[in-house]
Amino acid sequence: MHPGRSAHAMAVAGALCELFNQASEVQLAFLLRSIETGDAPAAARAAQGILGAIASSATGCEPRVLVTPLSSRELKVLCMIASGSTNRQIADATHRSINTIEAQVKSMYRKLGVRSRTQAVREAMQRGLLMWRDEGVPVAVIRADASAAC
């Protein structure tokens, strides 16, 4: 093997070792399932999230944590936003008023520090609050060892 290739192979092996040692079971299961089903975009997002967390811990930076965490209802609304639902559709599906949903969306925006639905979904993914299952359904992460489908 060429010396440059063996150094690259060793670097890749080291990164994979780090990945499997530091990722949570939920993260690894999602990543491996995405790879198994051939969902390259989901696998890339999962790996990027895992490696980002590893990189931030390696540099001494703590992952961004919400000062005020999202409530379970806000997480449910966030999932529905991520799947493309309008505020009216969310209100109908959850049997709440449109005003309640709009208030929850505003509260969620404030907690995430965003101004749009797209930014909210992106920020939630970066913070590890949202990930996608192999069926393309968003899943809200409630705590490190459990998740709930929208």
Side-chain angles (χ1 to χ4, degrees), residues 3-53:
R5 288 185 190 165
S6 66
H8 177 72
M10 287 175 48
V12 169
L16 286 172
C17 181
E18 192 73 15
L19 174 83
F20 284 100
N21 284 329
Q22 293 194 21
S24 73
E25 289 179 23
V26 172
Q27 291 170 320
L28 285 175
F30 180 74
L31 174 61
L32 293 174
R33 180 71 176 140
S34 298
I35 291 168
E36 178 184 30
T37 60
D39 188 357
R45 284 191 303 268
Q48 186 176 25
I50 294 167
L51 293 173

Side-chain angles (χ1 to χ4, degrees), residues 12-94:
V12 169
L16 286 172
C17 181
E18 192 73 15
L19 174 83
F20 284 100
N21 284 329
Q22 293 194 21
S24 73
E25 289 179 23
V26 172
Q27 291 170 320
L28 285 175
F30 180 74
L31 174 61
L32 293 174
R33 180 71 176 140
S34 298
I35 291 168
E36 178 184 30
T37 60
D39 188 357
R45 284 191 303 268
Q48 186 176 25
I50 294 167
L51 293 173
I54 292 170
S56 67
S57 67
T59 60
C61 298
E62 289 297 316
R64 294 176 297 174
V65 176
L66 292 174
V67 174
T68 307
L70 297 179
S71 70
S72 60
R73 288 187 178 194
E74 288 169 333
L75 280 170
K76 177 80 172 171
V77 169
L78 180 62
C79 273
M80 295 178 83
I81 286 172
S83 65
S85 298
T86 65
N87 286 357
R88 171 57 60 199
Q89 291 168 330
I90 295 168
D92 291 343
T94 59

Side-chain angles (χ1 to χ4, degrees), residues 70 74 102-113:
L70 297 179
E74 288 169 333
E102 288 173 355
Q104 286 178 325
V105 169
K106 286 180 186 176
S107 173
M108 184 176 46
Y109 284 4
R110 186 184 74 255
K111 290 176 181 180
L112 292 171

Side-chain angles (χ1 to χ4, degrees), residues 35 114 121-122 146:
I35 291 168
V114 299
V121 171
R122 182 170 185 253

